[in-house]
Structures are given as structure tokens and as C-alpha cells.
Amino acid sequence: GQQLNQSPQSMFIQEGEDVSMNCTSSSIFNTWLWYKQEPGEGPVLLIALYKAGELTSNGRLTAQFGITRKDSFLNISASIPSDVGIYFCAGHPRASSGSRLTFGEGTQLTVNP
Amino acid sequence: EAGVAQSPRYKIIEKRQSVAFWCNPISGHATLYWYQQILGQGPKLLIQFQNNGVVDDSQLPKDRFSAERLKGVDSTLKIQPAKLEDSAVYLCASSFAKHTGELFFGEGSRLTVL
């Protein structure tokens, strides 16, 4: 099955710093998504990308869908303590029956005030 | 708008016992998913329903896991008998459309098998 390689596994940063994380795959995806999970909660969708090359922002978050359709990155600018959590990338292969959303292993973000 | 509801939040059982988890999706969402999330890993799809029909259960260990969504609304996931390696958070999610990655997750049910 498809596998997503997410890096880095963990990040320890100071409040106010910018953060960048990425996700790569050996398979092509039609949709890339980024979720955030806080302790004791389910993942929450942050950004969805539907077109190769697409760059989308949501407040301090910016994500891009790679031109090759095999990668995506997420940037967080001017980090704040509430950005702490695990960030998951997810890829959806195609809009057809049986296509399954695949999650990466996550990037654990710690922000020191 | 009410979110995805799951219960129980926590369950501790001994191996070989059985357990059941319940999920009520967001109203109007036809697609319902059960994911297993082992500590330190991303969620892994166990089963996907479209209304009351199964779309994908290829990763469901059918010798011990079962799930149903009889009336096309709420769903139950059962494990019988449980093994130590079933210790995980079981996440239910729903979406409005079938072929979308835009999922709304519940808080999850944390299972510990001793």
C-alpha cells in the first residue's frame, strides 16, 4: 500500500520561530491534506490541497501541493504555544471507489514560550 | 453543529475479552470511518461505510474485528477476542462526501488490553 514519509519526526522550537515540515511519497496523490492532533483529541483538518503546485494559506499556516504530486510541505510562521501538537500529512490517491486516505507518521511540535 | 460523538472514552480489558465502541457521526454525513491509531503512529483505516454499506474493509482483521452501521447513521466497532496488540485509540470519523479526505474526527476511544 501507499506510504507517506513525514519529516522531521519531532521539532523543538522557541515561540516566534517559523516551522517547516514535509511529506513525501513514492505514489502520486490527487489530494494532500494536513491535520493537527492535540493530546486526547482526534485529528483536526488544517488545510486541503487539490491541485499540483497549489499554495494555500490558513492564517499563519501555508501548505503546498508538490508539482510531482508526490510531496507536500506545511509552514507555520511566528509559532505560538498553542501550535503544540502532532501534525499529520495525509494523501488521497484518486476520487474513485476504494481509494483510501493514507496518513503519515506525524511530526511532534513543541513550542517553548 | 454537534461533532462526531464516541463512547466510551477509555476502556481497559484483559486479553481474550471483548469490547465494543460506539460512534455517532455528524448529522447528514453519509460516510463513516473507523481508524486505529497505535501510540506514536498515524491513523490507519479499519473500515469505511457509505450509508449502511461497506466501501473498504481490506485492513480490518476480520477474524476478531467487526463493525456495523445498520441504519446508516451510528456505528459500532467490536473486538472479540482482544489481543495485547489491539491496545490503541480507535477513532471514528465522518465526511459529507465519499471521495474526500476532509474528515471530521471524534475524540477517540482509548483501549488498553492487559
Side-chain angles (χ1 to χ4, degrees):
Chain A
Q2 291 112 351
Q3 273 193 306
L4 297 184
N5 300 306
Q6 197 170 341
S7 65
Q9 276 191 313
S10 60
M11 302 183 75
F12 297 84
I13 63 171
Q14 292 297 125
E15 183 176 358
E17 289 183 357
D18 296 343
V19 171
S20 184
M21 58 191 79
N22 66 74
C23 202
T24 60
S25 170
S26 57
S27 304
I28 287 174
F29 288 105
N30 273 354
T31 306
W32 281 94
L33 308 106
W34 286 90
Y35 285 82
K36 178 188 178 187
Q37 187 174 28
E38 297 185 20
E41 304 289 330
V44 174
L45 181 64
L46 299 173
I47 290 181
L49 303 153
Y50 295 100
K51 189 176 175 182
E54 180 182 354
L55 184 71
T56 297
S57 292
N58 178 6
R60 294 179 295 105
L61 276 59
T62 302
Q64 183 156 30
F65 190 145
I67 288 289
T68 64
R69 293 163 62 193
K70 292 183 178 181
D71 64 310
S72 176
F73 72 74
L74 175 71
N75 287 343
I76 305 173
S77 62
S79 59
I80 58 178
S82 62
D83 290 333
V84 166
I86 305 175
Y87 291 79
F88 290 100
C89 62
H92 207 255
R94 61 189 182 279
S96 63
S97 179
S99 55
R100 181 187 313 138
L101 185 67
T102 300
F103 282 83
E105 296 294 283
T107 294
Q108 171 80 60
L109 178 64
T110 302
V111 180
N112 295 316
Chain B
E1 176 183 86
V4 176
Q6 288 190 246
S7 68
R9 287 297 310 274
Y10 305 94
K11 189 74 176 179
I12 300 173
I13 62 173
E14 296 194 348
K15 60 182 179 184
R16 291 187 289 273
Q17 286 187 324
S18 62
V19 63
F21 302 111
W22 173 83
C23 172
N24 191 28
I26 292 174
S27 177
H29 282 194
T31 311
L32 184 147
Y33 313 77
W34 283 102
Y35 281 84
Q36 181 192 57
Q37 186 176 26
I38 293 172
L39 187 65
Q41 297 183 17
K44 183 184 90 170
L45 180 69
L46 292 175
I47 189 167
Q48 177 182 342
F49 291 95
Q50 177 70 14
N51 295 310
N52 60 350
V54 175
V55 173
D56 184 352
D57 64 355
S58 58
Q59 299 189 118
L60 186 74
K62 298 179 185 66
D63 58 334
R64 299 182 300 104
F65 286 64
S66 64
E68 59 183 15
R69 193 185 183 197
L70 293 176
K71 296 182 180 178
V73 180
D74 56 349
S75 175
T76 303
L77 175 71
K78 295 180 182 177
I79 308 173
Q80 181 179 14
K83 292 186 175 181
L84 296 177
E85 59 260 37
D86 298 333
S87 294
V89 175
Y90 291 87
L91 294 162
C92 180
S94 68
S95 64
F96 181 74
K98 182 166 60 174
H99 303 307
T100 177
E102 297 187 23
L103 274 53
F104 293 82
F105 283 88
E107 294 179 314
S109 294
R110 181 177 294 277
L111 173 66
T112 302
V113 182
L114 303 176

